[in-house]
């Protein structure tokens, strides 16, 4: 089960301190490139204007912790990188508990979870801790050490281009900016890494692939600001890949348009993978499709997910881990859903029957020579398929009309193409 | 509450003997013009051909009553103008009860109601009375006095044109031809009078307004026969206003087309005013939309109503009054539904976001600088709105997609227009 | 009741040994031509290539039976022509029970039914019998006589062309190749015979009619291979007529397109004939619509049926008879559904009201001159009809919008056309 390999890879990436920028993000890209040697690691300087945004300073953490009045070290970044608010500015000093509390973040409703908090675009420092720990803090002086630095550095991302027969591209995007979180982070880049490996293994595909590993939001804005004109010409389908690692649900978030081939394929694959899959609306979006589908960009990007960000209790907390939430089985399901969607897009051609009237199948050994009361189910599916091959219906449309998964038609198509009863159109 | 002012005005109009033509109708127009000094009172001569119809003679009532065998005056027009069949021709004479009964109209199912009956296009005379009164009529000779006259006079109506920035017009029509009836008559012209006052108070609107006060059917046919070519060029939305005075329901009657902007706006406003509003079909129509939407006329006119004509028990009887049926609260609801519809049409523009990718809202102080688990609802609505501002969706379409009343977006639009994040399209 | 006449005619055709070719088929055509003297009986030589198929040899049966070990004659073709597998090749010889069983066909789930089995495109011989009879066969030698011949002859079909005012054609197809079966065979050609008689009786129709009586599948392929180019130009509607003889259900099988005028009319007629009619999908098809709607042929042919082939237990067995399954009442219903569909297509014109605004109906004596609380239902239907006569809606679309059977409008149309209030468009 490939899900186990993906899970192992995720465990390797787990301890790295990912953020919008910095060493942890670069190390993550380096680990991915061990699987994908063609991965191109790019950098963009802090301060670069990208659409309405500015590439932020690079953030580096040396150490961060608090010493409580008893001299005990708490909220230690080296124990759990979620303890430090992302992009905290440096601070060293002693503060009263009351003063300290202005810098502490907890989740009273989930008292055993450390929340994930960031402050990318306003300078502040802060610590996150469980509410259970927070509640027992005693009055007194606390020594705070936030040994971080924010400096003009670079923002990094990885890009992999796989050339197919056609210049038309399928686009995959996933993000690598969250520290220690499993479903809402590591499931994405690890599944995409294994999807990319598979695409490179199968050799020449009909379409080309553009696959990027980026920090969320600022990364997609940066990437688009450099590439959107080219992408608008080439990208005809694609998915933002996130939250594909738990085994509790299958979900779909549409593109803004809602009717692109990515949407149709995603819904088809999910329907036949799990009839109870959850169909969200564009209003439930929350990841980089916000940029890919923004007015004027309008790329056909949908999302295929397991349990969607924001809706599960462990989301954006220390509970979103590789033991209880993300599992090999969950990643396996996520991997196959994405892969089946890509296969379906590759296969989704139009076919035309080359013969007027029904072909005489029995003379070709493809139909019973004896007419009795009941037809064979497979014969019937083949004849139904032929009856819809008018050169106008796509394979996806035909499979929807036949109420079968598109992959049930792959063998039939191959058999009929081989004996030239159907031919591919344009 | 403006509903009280409207109710007061309706009480003033109540005693006037309105009909297709005549003094009561002219006096009604005169009372309206006290509120709307720009109202233009028009007249069309009896006998004028208007489409397939002829403007009827003018009808005037001096007195009308019956003296029963005991010498008691009954069915006295001066007590209740519904007692006389509309357009009754003159008659004076003594008739037996049996003969008289051929001229009497009652409602056996509503024994305490005087029905409203007219005979515009065939010469006859008749009286209406409660079935309770009818049942106790004794045998004997009845003296009948119908002192009316039908003569070549004129048909009158009022027209108010309010100039906006654009020549494109919103059309409002209401009728003033029913004597002493409240929901199915006075609610219409009184609400429209106060809508017109509001339009004149707010000063320059984007669109122009054409507002008419007419006798039903013959009035709209007459008005169209003189104006339909001009109206087909200019009128892009509008409502026939009737039955907007009781507080029992909100209702909608579509245009013939069913998908005009008037229909879409009416349904949107009503849905967010009363989720249980009643959606009728074109087949349930019964007022001047019959003319405005007739083939070849095809104006985009729908109806926003409280309880619709024909479906409530008091309809076309003396029970449709200003005490039990039409109330200040009911008129208030009718007024605001029409007003919100007009505001929505004025505001229903298309907007385009001026920035590629999501705007950076936090630097403008329009979004939290701290990323925590839950988003603010209002921030989310604003970002959702921006995500749909592609210059093609109208504000109405966006509000439907966001599942909020269009008026919830007015402030957001203004805020974003002010900082040029969205701009009005064409 | 015309159903009785149709049933009588079916009884006459019952004993003939129909197959794809041969004497029984020709005799059936001859019997039909007694009702339809203009029927043109055509022949196509065995071996002729028709699209992907070859016209088969002609099949003739002299006698066929088995003598059991006790000397008793069983499976005698002269007793029931279903006993012999269709297109059995000649064989005379003695065989053991075990050997014989390789050539016997039964239905274990319907032990008292003789199945209907054919082997048109592979040479073999066989007998069909009830499972009850099969179970009591004793060991021993069986003498088998299959005195048949397969020879270069001809395939026959009947074609009737009825000229209307327009060259545009309505096409009816029915099949005549099954021996002794009632719903799934004789109901079709007998109902079509009486439909054709009616069409000839009413004299000139607006449209022309092309009506064919053919062996199923090979007959339609043969007919199309000679006529499809002409048919694609002329045929704008039509039905494959089969299974129109029992009284258990009304059913509809769509064309491949699903939205042709034939489909719309079929669904309309069936909805108003039986609100519980069964709507099948294209995937449930199984008769000559397979050819008429094949990609590249694409004729607008749907099916109106009583109980559909394949779904009733007696289908393709000796139980599908003229006593228990097909009845005069059932045939009557089938006949009228087809006839009403044809009438509806003939009547389905577009009308335009010749007057702007509502016509003044009371001056024409077509509307009450007294306005009281309730309208007359018929007046209302007429005014509703007029309100939709914009020259763009077809009569079918109007009747659907008015939620009445199209035939409820025929009188209204005639009345209004006569006084020129509506005029036929284009």
């Amino acid at each position: 089960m490939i899900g186990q390999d993906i899970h192992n890879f995720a465990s390797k990436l787990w301890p790295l301190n990912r953020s919008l920028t910095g060493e942890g993000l670069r190390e993550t890209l380096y680990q991915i490139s061990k699987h994908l040697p063609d991965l191109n690691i790019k950098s963009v300087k802090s301060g670069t204007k990208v659409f309405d945004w500015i590439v932020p300073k690079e953030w580096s953490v040396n150490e961060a912790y608090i010493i409580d009045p008893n001299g005990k070290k708490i909220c230690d970044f080296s124990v759990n990188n979620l303890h430090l608010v992302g992009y905290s500015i440096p601070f060293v000093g002693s503060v009263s508990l009351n003063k300290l509390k202005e810098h502490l973040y907890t989740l009273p409703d989930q008292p055993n979870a450390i929340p994930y908090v960031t402050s990318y675009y306003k300078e502040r420092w802060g610590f996150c801790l469980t509410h259970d720990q927070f509640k027992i803090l005693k009055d007194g002086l606390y020594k705070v050490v936030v040994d971080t630095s924010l400096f003009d550095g670079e923002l990094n991302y990885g890009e992999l281009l796989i050339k197919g027969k056609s210049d038309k591209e399928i686009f995959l995007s996933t993000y690598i900016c969250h520290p220690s979180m499993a479903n809402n982070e590591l499931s994405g880049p690890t599944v995409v890494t294994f999807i990319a490996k598979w695409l490179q293994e199968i050799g020449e595909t009909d379409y080309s692939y553009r696959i990027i590993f980026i920090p969320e939001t600022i990364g997609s804005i940066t990437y688009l600001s450099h590439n959107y004109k080219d992408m608008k010409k080439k990208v005809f389908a694609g998915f933002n890949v996130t939250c594909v690692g738990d085994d509790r649900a299958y979900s779909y978030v549409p593109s803004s348009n809602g009717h692109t081939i990515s949407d149709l394929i995603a819904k088809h694959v999910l329907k036949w993978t799990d009839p109870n899959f959850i169909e969200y609306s564009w209003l439930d979006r929350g990841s980089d499709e916000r940029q890919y589908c923004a007015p004027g960009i309008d790329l056909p990007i949908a999302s295929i997910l397991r349990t969607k960000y924001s809706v599960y209790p462990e989301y954006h907390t220390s509970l979103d881990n590789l033991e209880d939430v993300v599992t090999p089985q969950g990643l396996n399901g996520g991997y196959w859903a994405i892969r089946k969607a890509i296969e379906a897009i590759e296969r989704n051609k139009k076919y035309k029957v080359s013969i007027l009237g029904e072909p005489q199948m029995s003379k070709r050994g493809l139909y019973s020579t004896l007419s009795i009361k009941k037809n064979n189910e497979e014969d019937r599916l083949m004849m139904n398929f032929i009856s819809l091959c008018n050169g106008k219906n796509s394979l996806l449309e035909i499979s929807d009309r036949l109420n079968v998964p598109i992959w049930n038609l792959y063998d039939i198509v191959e058999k009929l193409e081989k004996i030239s009863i159907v031919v591919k159109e344009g």
Side-chain angles (χ1 to χ4, degrees), chain A:
Chain A
M1 191 181 64
I2 200 163
Q4 186 61 59
D5 298 336
I6 301 172
H7 196 268
N8 294 345
F9 184 43
S11 301
K12 197 157 195 174
L13 301 180
W14 179 262
L16 304 174
N17 181 42
R18 280 169 297 281
S19 183
L20 289 196
T21 58
E23 213 42 66
L25 184 146
R26 274 190 293 273
E27 178 63 21
T28 300
L29 287 170
Y30 172 68
Q31 292 294 337
I32 292 168
S33 74
K34 287 206 208 160
H35 289 274
L36 302 172
D38 298 336
L39 186 74
N40 203 336
I41 298 174
K42 303 281 190 107
S43 65
V44 181
K45 287 209 168 6
S46 300
T48 306
K49 185 160 168 53
V50 287
F51 291 153
D52 194 42
W53 302 59
I54 303 286
V55 172
K57 294 196 169 180
E58 189 168 326
W59 183 56
S60 164
V61 183
N62 190 29
E63 57 176 1
Y65 55 82
I66 300 169
I67 306 292
D68 76 7
N70 297 328
K72 200 179 145 205
K73 188 184 276 192
I74 59 170
C75 295
D76 188 353
F77 174 81
S78 71
V79 173
N80 190 325
N81 49 25
L82 291 174
H83 276 311
L84 185 62
V85 167
Y87 265 65
S88 280
I89 57 172
F91 177 83
V92 177
S94 289
V95 296
S96 68
L97 178 58
N98 270 351
K99 194 76 196 160
L100 179 64
K101 280 185 174 174
E102 296 171 12
H103 296 269
L104 297 185
Y105 301 95
T106 71
L107 294 168
D109 293 344
Q110 292 175 279
N112 65 333
I114 306 170
Y116 168 53
V117 178
T118 62
S119 180
Y120 299 135
Y121 299 101
K122 182 172 179 193
E123 299 205 337
R124 54 161 73 86
W125 62 265
F127 285 88
C128 302
L129 65 166
T130 68
H131 201 67
D132 284 343
Q133 193 173 14
F134 175 85
K135 280 185 301 187
I136 58 173
L137 294 180
K138 304 274 183 260
D139 273 344
L141 265 192
Y142 285 77
K143 187 182 172 200
V144 174
V145 174
V146 182
D147 182 1
T148 60
S149 57
L150 282 155
F151 57 93
D152 283 335
E154 55 190 36
L155 173 147
N156 303 99
Y157 64 86
E159 181 191 51
L160 177 66
L161 300 173
I162 304 174
K163 197 84 200 90
K165 288 178 204 152
S166 157
D167 275 351
K168 289 174 72 183
E169 290 180 355
I170 297 174
F171 176 58
L172 298 178
S173 174
T174 191
Y175 52 82
I176 46 169
C177 57
H178 294 59
S180 307
M181 266 166 303
N183 194 42
N184 183 39
E185 170 87 358
L186 287 173
S187 69
T190 55
V191 161
V192 170
T193 297
F194 279 78
I195 289 287
K197 284 174 79 168
W198 160 68
L199 282 166
Q200 293 195 312
E201 277 160 30
I202 57 176
E204 206 176 39
T205 50
D206 277 0
Y207 300 113
S208 297
Y209 288 81
R210 182 190 293 258
I211 301 173
I212 65 173
F213 300 84
I214 54 169
E216 208 179 9
T217 303
I218 188 67
S220 50
I221 284 170
T222 300
Y223 190 81
L224 282 171
S225 78
H226 296 145
N227 295 285
Y228 84 98
K229 284 183 188 170
D230 192 40
M231 291 172 79
K232 286 187 73 148
K233 269 182 249 156
K234 295 179 179 167
V235 173
F236 76 102
F239 302 99
N240 186 57
V241 184
T242 173
C243 297
V244 286
D246 74 324
D247 202 22
R248 299 177 287 194
Y250 284 91
S251 315
Y252 154 73
V253 174
S255 72
S256 172
N257 171 303
H259 305 285
T260 72
I261 188 64
S262 312
D263 293 284
L264 302 178
I265 290 281
K267 283 189 279 189
H268 181 91
V269 166
L270 288 172
K271 171 184 161 186
W272 290 106
T273 297
D274 175 4
N276 299 316
F277 86 94
I278 301 165
E279 193 172 336
Y280 288 100
S281 104
W282 171 248
L283 308 185
D284 301 309
R285 76 196 177 289
S287 180
D288 286 317
E289 69 286 344
R290 284 155 37 212
Q291 314 309 328
Y292 300 134
C293 300
I297 304 291
D298 299 317
L299 292 173
I301 306 305
S303 302
I304 289 173
L305 316 92
R306 302 298 312 255
T307 303
K308 192 183 80 80
Y309 43 79
S310 303
V311 305
Y312 60 98
E314 304 88 353
Y315 169 75
H316 269 201
T317 77
S318 56
L319 304 179
D320 185 354
N321 63 34
L322 286 169
E323 291 78 42
D324 308 310
V325 174
V326 165
T327 61
Q329 196 63 46
L331 289 161
N332 205 60
Y335 171 85
W336 279 103
I338 302 286
R339 178 164 158 175
K340 283 183 168 179
I342 290 171
E343 285 175 326
I345 298 171
E346 286 274 345
R347 297 275 203 154
N348 184 35
K349 304 293 171 13
K350 294 176 179 181
Y351 294 92
K352 186 165 183 175
V353 62
S354 61
I355 284 165
L356 286 172
E358 279 188 346
Q360 226 276 40
M361 302 311 279
S362 59
K363 75 181 182 191
R364 296 178 173 90
L366 289 173
Y367 207 84
S368 167
T369 58
L370 194 75
S371 168
I372 50 169
K373 242 183 124 168
K374 284 203 195 300
N375 283 137
N376 173 300
E377 275 298 303
E378 270 184 59
D379 286 356
R380 191 139 188 111
L381 181 60
M382 183 176 64
M383 297 315 289
N384 280 342
F385 172 69
I386 290 171
S387 84
L388 299 175
C389 283
N390 61 3
K392 284 171 213 147
N393 299 320
S394 70
L395 199 62
L396 179 67
E397 289 164 335
I398 292 178
S399 66
D400 278 339
R401 194 149 166 209
L402 297 180
N403 201 29
V404 296
I406 190 170
W407 45 86
N408 282 18
L409 297 178
Y410 296 162
D411 280 355
I412 291 174
V413 169
E414 279 170 24
K415 193 156 67 178
L416 293 175
E417 257 195 308
K418 195 174 288 168
I419 57 174
S420 299
I421 283 187
V422 303
V423 291
K424 214 175 279 177
E425 282 281 291

